[in-house]
């Protein structure tokens, strides 16, 4: 009989957003006329920018002609997109990258989930808490933890609490950790770490031989000048950090799928025998074996994000969602709720009224005002008593949701 990977059994029955969808469907079945507004999963609602559509149409036409047709592309991505990323995302910030340090993919969820494969099972993993569940789940699947405890934590994983009490700034771990996941701007809290805070982590990683896995999927939403857009703006980070970026939230690619991961050749890890290897080499090997490249049509669409017209259209998209964030933030604050985030990120993190349990507040919001959000505990034990709303809805729904909360929710 084939044996299963029993680490999967340690995880809760379903992935957070699958569980939310299940609960909403069940409610909808019982309440068929309910006009539900979904501000739960952080999925975009605006269409792709015109420049992206135009580039993808052109690429489709190329696929129709024998002379311009493309089959398998480079596993690492096409040179035209890699060059645009290096020249437009990094060079203006004084960050120099080689073309073979950027890997195009079909999404950051896959990359942040897969990256742990190139590390040994004996590494100690640190995650900020609360955080995007993929970091934890994939490490549990790989066997880097024990069984889930009654405290909601997996033994072996180092949790770094980020709550209003510490201004959502994780403290350095008391014990030595090898892999550190940082998400900045943060999903779910919507808060971001200034350069001085990131420097502490880079210094820690250098001192302890750790690697920082820096998820910058929400980089385009940064508004405050003291928040770096890339970890590589911090001196020394190119020796210790891998960075993940995505076109999903930047340009509406959640369904279109395109992202990239930067693995500088200077980031090293060692064998048990103490021999050093560049992680770039391992990630390249992994991608060559398990990935056949993001589609040509999609990469042409992503390239168009960097054109003059594309840039302008993308900025308008981001502004649209950030206006939603302001509407949510100010609307909730006006009825006395404690709100965080929404300034450098499209997420608003609120304290549940009267310290209500996160899932209880989820049910209350769903049943009393037909609004779907995400319970804080879904992102980790330190999310208890918090709740997330996304600014990715359309304007009408966002305004309607806030009006309902202000006028119909019993607090
Ligand atoms: C979220 O809601 O946290 C995000 O949409 C999840 C994701 O980007 O995969």
């Amino acid at each position: 009989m084939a044996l299963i990977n029993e680490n999967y059994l340690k995880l809760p029955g379903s992935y957070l957003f699958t569980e939310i969808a299940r609960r909403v469907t069940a409610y909808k079945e019982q309440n068929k006329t309910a006009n539900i507004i979904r501000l739960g999963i952080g999925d975009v609602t605006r269409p792709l920018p015109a420049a992206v559509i135009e580039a993808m149409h052109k690429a489709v036409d190329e696929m129709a002609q024998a002379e311009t047709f493309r089959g398998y592309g480079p596993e690492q991505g096409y040179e035209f997109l890699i060059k645009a990323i290096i020249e437009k995302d990094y060079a203006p910030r004084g960050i120099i990258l080689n073309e073979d340090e950027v890997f195009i993919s079909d999404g950051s969820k896959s990359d942040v989930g897969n990256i742990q494969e190139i590390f040994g099972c004996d590494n100690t993993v640190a995650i900020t808490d609360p955080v995007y569940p993929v970091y934890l789940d994939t490490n549990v699947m790989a066997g880097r933890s024990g069984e889930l405890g009654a405290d909601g934590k997996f033994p072996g994983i180092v949790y770094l609490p980020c709550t209003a009490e510490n201004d959502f700034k994780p403290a350095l771990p008391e014990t030595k950790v090898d892999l550190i996941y940082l998400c900045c701007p943060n999903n779910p809290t919507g808060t971001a770490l200034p350069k001085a805070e990131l420097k502490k982590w880079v210094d820690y990683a250098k001192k302890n031989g750790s690697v920082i896995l820096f998820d910058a999927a929400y980089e385009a939403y940064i508004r405050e000048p003291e928040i770096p857009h890339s970890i590589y703006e911090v001196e020394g980070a190119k020796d210790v950090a891998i960075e993940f970026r995505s076109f999903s939230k930047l340009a509406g690619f959640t369904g279109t799928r395109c992202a990239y991961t930067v693995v500088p050749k200077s980031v090293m890890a060692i064998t048990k025998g103490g021999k050093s290897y560049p992680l770039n080499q391992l990630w390249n090997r992994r991608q060559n074996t398990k990935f056949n490249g993001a589609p040509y049509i999609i990469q042409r669409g992503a390239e168009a994000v960097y054109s003059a017209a594309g840039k302008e259209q993308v900025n308008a998209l981001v502004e649209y969602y950030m206006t939603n964030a302001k509407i949510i933030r100010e609307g909730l604050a006006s009825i006395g709720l404690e709100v965080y985030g929404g300034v450098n990120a499209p997420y608003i993190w609120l304290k549940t009224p009267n310290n209500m349990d996160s899932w209880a507040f989820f049910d209350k919001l769903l049943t009393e005002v037909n609004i779907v959000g995400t319970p804080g505990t879904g992102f980790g034990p330190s999310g208890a008593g918090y709740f997330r709303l996304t600014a990715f809805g359309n304007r009408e729904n966002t305004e309607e949701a806030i009006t309902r909360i202000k006028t119909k929710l019993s607090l």
Side-chain angles (χ1 to χ4, degrees):
M1 210 50 181
L3 298 173
I4 61 162
N5 175 353
E6 290 190 28
N7 293 309
Y8 276 64
L9 304 180
K10 295 175 187 166
L11 290 166
S14 61
Y15 180 62
L16 172 63
F17 294 106
T18 318
E19 174 59 19
I20 291 174
R22 192 191 63 74
R23 290 191 185 212
V24 176
T25 306
Y27 178 77
K28 185 88 187 156
E29 261 162 31
Q30 299 300 312
N31 302 272
K32 293 209 165 41
T33 56
N35 173 14
I36 294 175
I37 297 179
R38 292 167 199 264
L39 301 180
I41 190 163
D43 194 5
V44 295
T45 50
R46 306 302 297 158
L48 289 169
V52 170
I53 293 292
E54 199 184 312
M56 292 203 296
H57 276 165
K58 202 164 150 251
V60 168
D61 289 339
E62 284 181 56
M63 296 301 251
Q65 306 294 328
E67 302 74 42
T68 47
F69 168 79
R70 314 265 180 147
Y72 291 129
E75 290 88 351
Q76 300 75 5
Y78 284 100
E79 194 185 28
F80 61 78
L81 181 54
I82 295 177
K83 277 195 159 139
I85 288 167
I86 293 176
E87 281 165 23
K88 303 283 174 62
D89 280 343
Y90 289 97
R93 301 191 183 276
I95 300 160
I96 309 300
L97 294 174
N98 293 319
E99 284 172 34
D100 54 2
E101 293 178 309
V102 177
F103 296 81
I104 312 294
S105 75
D106 64 354
S108 275
K109 184 178 185 178
S110 332
D111 286 357
V112 297
N114 292 330
I115 196 77
Q116 47 77 30
E117 281 183 25
I118 65 169
F119 296 96
C121 260
D122 297 336
N123 283 302
T124 302
V125 174
I127 55 162
T128 53
D129 170 27
V131 88
Y132 184 42
V134 175
Y135 318 147
L136 175 69
D137 286 11
T138 53
N139 277 288
V140 172
M141 287 170 177
R144 293 192 189 90
S145 79
E147 299 287 340
L148 181 61
D151 58 354
K153 294 185 181 176
F154 285 93
I157 302 286
V158 175
Y159 291 75
L160 308 167
C162 295
T163 58
E165 283 69 44
N166 64 5
D167 199 17
F168 302 96
K169 295 187 175 109
L172 294 173
E174 282 158 16
T175 52
K176 187 176 157 320
V177 300
D178 307 303
L179 302 179
I180 303 153
Y181 287 83
L182 294 178
C183 180
C184 182
N186 188 266
N187 176 12
T189 66
T191 56
L193 297 173
K195 198 167 185 174
E197 284 298 315
L198 291 177
K199 174 89 170 61
K200 284 188 203 165
W201 287 97
V202 169
D203 291 347
Y204 174 93
K206 284 200 136 195
K207 190 164 158 232
N208 292 284
S210 329
V211 174
I212 297 173
L213 302 166
F214 192 76
D215 186 350
Y218 299 93
E219 167 275 332
Y221 292 83
I222 295 172
R223 290 288 169 277
E224 294 179 323
E226 67 272 25
I227 310 296
H229 287 245
S230 165
I231 184 88
Y232 305 123
E233 287 176 54
V234 179
E235 202 197 324
K238 265 179 80 179
D239 295 332
V240 293
I242 291 175
E243 178 162 294
F244 305 89
R245 294 262 194 118
S246 171
F247 292 93
S248 285
K249 313 297 160 75
L250 165 70
F253 274 57
T254 52
T256 307
R257 311 306 300 152
C258 197
Y260 63 88
T261 290
V262 179
V263 191
K265 285 190 234 159
S266 41
V267 187
M268 312 290 278
I270 56 168
T271 62
K272 280 188 179 153
K275 189 164 162 11
S276 275
Y277 279 92
L279 291 169
N280 177 285
Q281 193 179 311
L282 273 70
W283 184 245
N284 190 41
R285 186 70 179 81
R286 191 245 172 234
Q287 293 298 82
N288 284 335
T289 301
K290 297 196 176 184
F291 185 58
N292 254 340
Y296 173 71
I297 298 163
I298 305 296
Q299 292 193 56
R300 279 296 186 198
E303 182 195 23
V305 165
Y306 298 102
S307 66
K311 189 99 204 113
E312 203 174 295
Q313 292 158 10
V314 161
N315 286 345
L317 266 186
V318 171
E319 271 312 314
Y320 179 94
Y321 294 129
M322 286 311 274
T323 302
N324 284 351
K326 191 165 182 276
I327 292 168
I328 300 173
R329 224 183 116 87
E330 291 178 356
L332 299 181
S334 76
I335 51 168
L337 286 171
E338 219 178 288
V339 286
Y340 303 94
V343 174
N344 293 301
Y347 292 123
I348 284 75
W349 189 239
L350 58 120
K351 206 78 190 91
T352 56
N354 313 315
N355 248 328
M356 189 183 255
D357 169 82
S358 300
W359 278 106
F361 189 65
F362 172 90
D363 289 334
K364 182 178 170 70
L365 216 56
L366 178 62
T367 54
E368 280 186 25
V369 287
N370 295 162
I371 292 165
V372 181
T374 311
T377 39
F379 299 100
S382 293
Y386 288 92
F387 198 80
R388 193 192 77 174
L389 290 175
T390 155
F392 286 124
N394 68 36
R395 181 66 40 77
E396 200 190 334
N397 280 349
T398 304
E399 282 172 345
E400 166 68 14
I402 296 308
T403 305
R404 284 191 205 167
I405 293 174
K406 280 165 82 168
T407 56
K408 298 202 184 115
L409 189 71
S410 63
L411 288 174

